């Protein structure tokens, strides 16, 4: 199947920073033994636990709870997302229901695996999901989210694969006064492409997608998120942090689209990059597309190194240079991860980021 | 029927103050584009062999290229075969002074509303402020003023076809060095069929004694205009160049694919200002100019500086990114832009700052104003090479929306490969507040004047960068371009 991959190329505007060669290599890597699932769940969280190995659901090692396993079609024209058709998981929560902290661990041993997913929350329902990617190979996911009036979804995803490639495609419809918060941490050694398309289709909806991409060696990680405001009074946040070491590349492209009717939209983008080495690259594209005349859309983008004065201050207080650097970098990344709601999840994510920083700095 | 058309035309002409055509007999190249057209143009200009070869090579390359489509623009298909590639006003005996200029052409300049200072210069009024005008009427430079004074200073200010004959070495050295032939589809087409343009060379240590200026004017129906401008500022030289354009009204879309190349060597400075007011098409977007221009500056030397200032109010579609390649240590690139779109106009414009030199700095100030049913996009790139230490960039792009049927878009690309770089980007999108309008109208201004005033304030940072003569015209233009956009 690999010779019919037909991937997007750098000549396509939306893919100009993508490393599709890494994806191809991951897809062609031979399958081996997947790592053990146990270490990848976050302790102290009750709730259902699901394990997928190379895209296949492991009934014996899982407690699916409200999550069902179904055959899903890939109803999208996204070049990677549309490959994810077949057996996948579905979470449906009825009106006013609450399903918290569903943990899903995806383990890969090599080769390509595709899993579609669907999350449907009825009016005023709430749910939270934590997904963890470990192992290697190409993990390709399509997640379609539908939030009815007043529904709330907290989604946290961490990419901790030791190699290979992870591609995520999220497509969400966010109804009236509903809220979606999606936080992604890329702290493994795989390549990645995180694609998001969040549509605010009801008045006063809230959408947030952000996170931190930490890259080292010759790794390349990338996020490309579009938030589309179709209705008035909506707000959106895109807070991304990129830290690039060695010869790696971290790329962030975030776009806010405001349709004609979407007056009083409040959009915010904050893209910041930190370069740890001369040979690393950070690419940023904070994009605005505005058709309504009474909106507030702010975007900020900066790239650079750590503030020399802050470093000096810490050193003058007796903090060793390496530690001072780690502290400041940690604070830099924390901006994006602080948005995670559950404390245990937030701490686990911060831990993963810390471990990455310790080894990279 | 005929009267109806005439009436309609008259009514349409009224709306576009500068929409008129003057009857000057034209010599046209046969319609269509093939190798013979390229040879015809080259022969017509009496070009040397090497120039023809260069053109033919470009033409062969162009045939292999595909028209780009990545911009946020809706471009109707351009039929490259259904256009004339060369038009020249009928030969009159060679001119000794401006008084001998074809009166038709002279009247055209008057109607153009060339800044008063320059009109005086054209009319030969004594004591007028010195501005050298190299007027491009359709495709051939018909008059060049102040040549003598410039010659004394050692400045070469010629039409490019003359320069090819008189200074082949200089032209050969730099032509196509900043914008290579294969750079992009439209630059490549320009290389094959460029009709005329301007060549400026300012020698070492010379401060050009006056501001140089060219008026571009598209006149003949169906004539694509392919200007080629090359400005070289040698070590320590300074030159300020003004470019202004208006075009008569036409029904069919006209393609303008110019190439502008600037080269600044050690300690040199070039200031390039543009006011563009070509025909934007009628309210349904019919007609109007396609302005697909490649403008690029090479800051090759240490401490060199290039500053682009543009006021874009015309054209149906504007698609250009005046850029700076900052190779020199401590080199500086600046980009100040006001782009106004009204009616059905579309603009996708911005800049690229490519930082290769140590301590190079750049500033980008972009003001986009959209009204009517128009789309206005800022697209910019700031790139920092791994070897470029201590690069600084500041980017600010502000958009102003007048009405709720237009669009404002911001697409900044930032690509950084050196940690010592400091890159800042700021952007805002806003509308004219009711408070501002109320205040201005309560002081006795009508709504249109109030909007013009507020818009001029919004664009002030850019307008300030323009040379005096242009600043006045540009302010007027902003007001005129936005007429009918409020209320």
């Amino acid at each position: 199947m690999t010779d019919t991959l037909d991937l997007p190329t750098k000549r396509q505007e939306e893919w100009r920073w993508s490393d599709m060669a890494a994806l191809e290599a991951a897809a062609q890597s031979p399958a081996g033994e997947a790592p053990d699932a146990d270490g990848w769940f976050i302790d102290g969280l009750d709730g259902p636990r699901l394990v997928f190995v190379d895209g296949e659901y492991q009934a014996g090692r899982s407690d699916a709870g409200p999550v069902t396993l179904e055959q899903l079609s890939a109803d999208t024209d996204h070049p990677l997302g549309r490959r994810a058709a077949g057996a996948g998981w579905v979470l449906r929560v009825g009106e006013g229901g609450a399903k918290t902290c569903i943990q899903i661990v995806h383990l890969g041993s090599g080769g390509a695996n595709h899993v579609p997913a669907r999350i449907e929350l009825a009016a005023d329902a709430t749910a939270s999901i934590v997904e963890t990617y470990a192992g290697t190979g190409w993990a390709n996911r399509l997640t379609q989210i539908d939030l009815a009036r007043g529904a709330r979804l907290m989604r946290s995803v961490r990419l901790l694969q030791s190699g290979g490639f992870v591609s995520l495609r999220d497509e969400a419809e966010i109804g009236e006064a509903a809220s979606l918060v999606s936080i992604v941490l890329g702290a493994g050694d795989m390549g990645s492409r995180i694609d998001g398309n969040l549509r605010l289709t009801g008045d006063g909806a809230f959408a947030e997608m952000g996170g931190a991409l930490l890259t080292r060696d010759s790794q390349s990680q990338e996020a490309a998120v579009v938030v589309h405001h179709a209705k008035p009074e909506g707000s959106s946040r895109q807070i991304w942090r990129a830290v690039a070491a060695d010869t790696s590349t971290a790329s962030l492209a975030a776009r806010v689209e405001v349709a004609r009717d979407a007056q009083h939209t409040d959009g915010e983008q904050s893209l910041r990059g930190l370069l740890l080495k001369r040979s690393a690259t950070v690419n940023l594209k904070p994009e605005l597309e505005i058709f309504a005349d009474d909106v507030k859309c702010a975007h900020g983008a900066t790239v650079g190194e750590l503030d020399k004065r802050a470093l000096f201050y810490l050193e003058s207080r007796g903090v060793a240079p390496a530690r001072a650097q780690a502290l400041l970098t940690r604070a830099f990344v924390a901006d994006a991860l602080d948005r995670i709601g559950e404390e245990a999840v937030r701490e686990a994510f911060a831990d993963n980021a810390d471990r990455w920083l310790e080894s990279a700095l | 029927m005929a009267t109806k058309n005439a009436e309609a035309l008259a009514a349409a002409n009224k709306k576009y103050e500068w929409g008129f055509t003057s009857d000057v007999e034209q010599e046209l190249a046969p319609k269509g584009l093939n190798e013979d057209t390229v040879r015809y143009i080259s022969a017509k200009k009496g070009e040397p062999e090497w120039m023809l070869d260069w053109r033919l090579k470009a033409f062969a390359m162009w045939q292999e290229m595909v028209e780009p489509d990545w911009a946020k623009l809706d471009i109707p298909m351009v039929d490259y075969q259904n256009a004339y590639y060369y038009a020249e006003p009928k030969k009159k005996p060679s001119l000794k002074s401006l008084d001998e200029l074809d009166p038709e052409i002279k009247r055209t300049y008057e109607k153009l509303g060339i800044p008063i200072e320059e009109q005086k210069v054209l009319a030969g009024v004594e004591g007028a402020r010195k501005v050298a005008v190299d007027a491009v009427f359709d495709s051939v430079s018909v008059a060049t003023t102040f040549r003598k004074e410039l010659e004394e200073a050692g400045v070469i200010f010629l039409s490019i076809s003359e320069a090819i004959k008189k200074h082949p070495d200089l032209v050969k050295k730099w032509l196509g060095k900043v914008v290579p032939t294969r750079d992009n589809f439209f630059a490549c087409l320009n290389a094959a069929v460029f009709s005329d343009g301007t060549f400026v060379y300012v020698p070492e240590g010379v401060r050009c004694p006056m501001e140089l200026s060219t008026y571009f004017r598209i006149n003949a129906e169906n004539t694509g205009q392919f200007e080629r401008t090359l400005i070289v500022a040698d070590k320590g030289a300074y030159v300020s160049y003004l470019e202004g354009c208006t075009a008569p009204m036409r029904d069919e879309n006209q393609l303008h694919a110019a190439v502008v190349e600037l080269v600044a060597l050690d300690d040199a400075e070039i200031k390039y200002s543009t006011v563009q007011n070509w025909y934007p098409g009628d309210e349904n977007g019919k007609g109007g100019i396609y302005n697909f221009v490649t403008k690029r500056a090479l800051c090759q030397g240490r401490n060199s500086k290039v500053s682009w200032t543009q006021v874009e109010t015309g054209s149906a579609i504007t698609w250009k990114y005046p850029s700076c390649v900052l190779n020199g240590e401590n080199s500086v690139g600046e980009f100040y832009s006001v782009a106004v779109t009204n009616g059905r106009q579309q603009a996708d414009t911005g800049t690229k700052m490519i930082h290769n030199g140590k301590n190079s700095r750049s500033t980008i100030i972009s003001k986009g104003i959209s009204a009517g049913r128009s789309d206005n996009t800022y697209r910019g790139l700031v790139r920092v090479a791994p070897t470029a230490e201590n690069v600084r960039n500041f980017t600010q792009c502000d958009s102003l929306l007048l009405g709720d049927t237009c669009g404002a878009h911001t697409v900044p690309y930032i690509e950084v490969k050196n940690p010592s770089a400091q890159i800042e980007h700021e952007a805002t999108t806003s509308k004219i507040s009711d408070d501002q309008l109320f205040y201005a109208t309560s002081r006795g201004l009508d709504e249109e004047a109030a909007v013009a005033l507020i818009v001029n304030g919004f664009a002030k940072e850019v307008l300030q960068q323009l040379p005096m003569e242009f600043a006045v015209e540009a302010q007027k233009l902003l007001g005129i371009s936005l007429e009918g956009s409020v209320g």
Side-chain angles (χ1 to χ4, degrees), chain A residues 172-192:
Chain A
E173 297 253 326
I174 304 159
E176 188 185 336
S179 147
L180 168 66
V181 178
S182 241
I183 303 296
V184 183
L185 169 68
D189 285 320
M190 73 287 135
S192 76

Side-chain angles (χ1 to χ4, degrees), chain A residues 111-125:
Chain A
N113 64 81
H114 308 270
V115 178
R118 202 152 288 169
I119 302 168
E120 291 168 13
L121 302 191
D124 299 318

Side-chain angles (χ1 to χ4, degrees), chain B residues 220-238:
Chain B
E221 196 159 5
N222 272 333
T223 308
Q225 187 127 42
F226 302 94
E227 299 294 339
R228 187 103 198 172
T229 303
L230 173 60
I231 300 176
V232 181
D234 213 322
K235 289 175 185 166
Y238 169 85

Side-chain angles (χ1 to χ4, degrees), chain B residues 20-26 104-105 107-109 111 137 217 219-220 248 250:
Chain B
F20 51 83
T21 49
S22 39
D23 291 322
V24 179
E25 285 174 74
Q26 297 235 348
E104 272 289 340
I105 295 179
R107 253 196 303 277
T108 306
Y109 287 138
K111 279 196 260 179
F137 190 86
R217 178 114 172 81
N219 197 287
R250 282 291 166 216

Side-chain angles (χ1 to χ4, degrees), chain B residues 250-420:
Chain B
R250 282 291 166 216
D251 257 346
E252 265 170 79
N253 293 309
Q254 292 180 305
L255 174 68
H256 185 99
V259 171
V260 177
E261 298 179 287
L262 311 184
V263 181
L265 300 179
D266 288 0
D267 304 302
E269 181 178 347
I270 302 175
K271 190 173 164 62
Y272 194 102
S273 315
T274 307
V275 171
Q276 186 261 112
N277 180 32
W278 281 333
Y279 180 49
D282 63 18
E283 55 264 50
N284 297 316
K286 194 166 160 44
I289 305 289
Y290 296 172
N291 187 20
F292 301 164
V293 181
T294 309
K295 288 181 169 177
R296 196 173 302 155
L298 194 60
C299 290
Q300 191 61 26
R302 286 173 58 97
N303 308 322
S304 56
K305 177 178 175 184
V306 168
S307 174
W308 296 100
T309 307
Q310 60 171 25
V311 176
E312 303 280 332
T313 61
S315 293
I317 306 176
T318 301
W319 188 5
K320 64 169 190 175
Y321 312 98
S323 307
C324 295
V325 180
L326 301 161
N327 284 342
E329 220 171 287
N330 306 325
S331 57
V332 178
E334 290 176 351
F335 176 76
Y336 300 95
S337 164
V338 177
V340 181
T341 54
N342 198 354
R344 293 262 178 186
Q345 276 176 283
Q346 306 173 60
D348 192 319
T349 183
T351 184
K352 293 178 192 173
M353 293 291 173
I354 314 291
H355 290 266
N356 295 325
K358 279 181 193 164
N359 304 324
S360 53
R361 304 185 298 277
S362 61
T363 306
I364 300 170
I365 309 282
S366 165
K367 307 278 181 178
I369 300 153
S370 11
R373 309 181 65 82
S374 66
D375 270 303
N376 202 327
T377 306
Y378 167 83
R379 190 185 298 274
L381 169 69
V382 177
R383 179 180 285 162
V384 181
T387 48
E389 302 287 330
N390 300 318
V391 166
R392 295 286 176 273
N393 162 267
F394 175 73
T395 304
Q396 186 182 342
C397 29
D398 297 328
S399 309
L400 191 64
L401 286 160
L402 305 177
D404 56 4
T405 52
C406 49
H409 318 296
T410 315
V411 193
Y413 291 82
I414 301 168
E415 303 182 349
V416 183
K417 292 181 192 287
N418 187 307
S420 63

Side-chain angles (χ1 to χ4, degrees), chain A residues 4-24 78-80 82-83 165 193 195 222 224 285, chain B residues 69-70 413:
Chain A
T4 57
L5 265 183
D6 185 27
L7 296 165
T9 67
K10 278 184 195 296
R11 291 198 64 82
Q12 282 161 272
E13 202 57 19
E14 307 291 322
W15 300 82
R16 70 192 297 248
W17 293 325
S18 305
D19 186 7
M20 287 295 117
L23 186 153
E24 222 157 346
H78 187 264
L80 299 180
R82 65 184 156 84
R83 291 161 199 276
F165 199 94
R193 163 91 185 188
D195 257 287
E222 185 190 15
K285 183 164 78 148
Chain B
D69 62 353
W70 45 262
Y413 291 82

Side-chain angles (χ1 to χ4, degrees), chain B residues 24 50-51 74 98 100 106 167 206 239 253 261 278 283 300 359 361 371 425 473:
Chain B
V24 179
W50 62 268
M51 201 58 231
D74 180 17
L98 277 166
E100 292 173 30
K106 229 171 146 184
H167 305 279
V206 171
V239 61
N253 293 309
E261 298 179 287
W278 281 333
E283 55 264 50
Q300 191 61 26
N359 304 324
R361 304 185 298 277
H425 176 95
E473 189 187 21

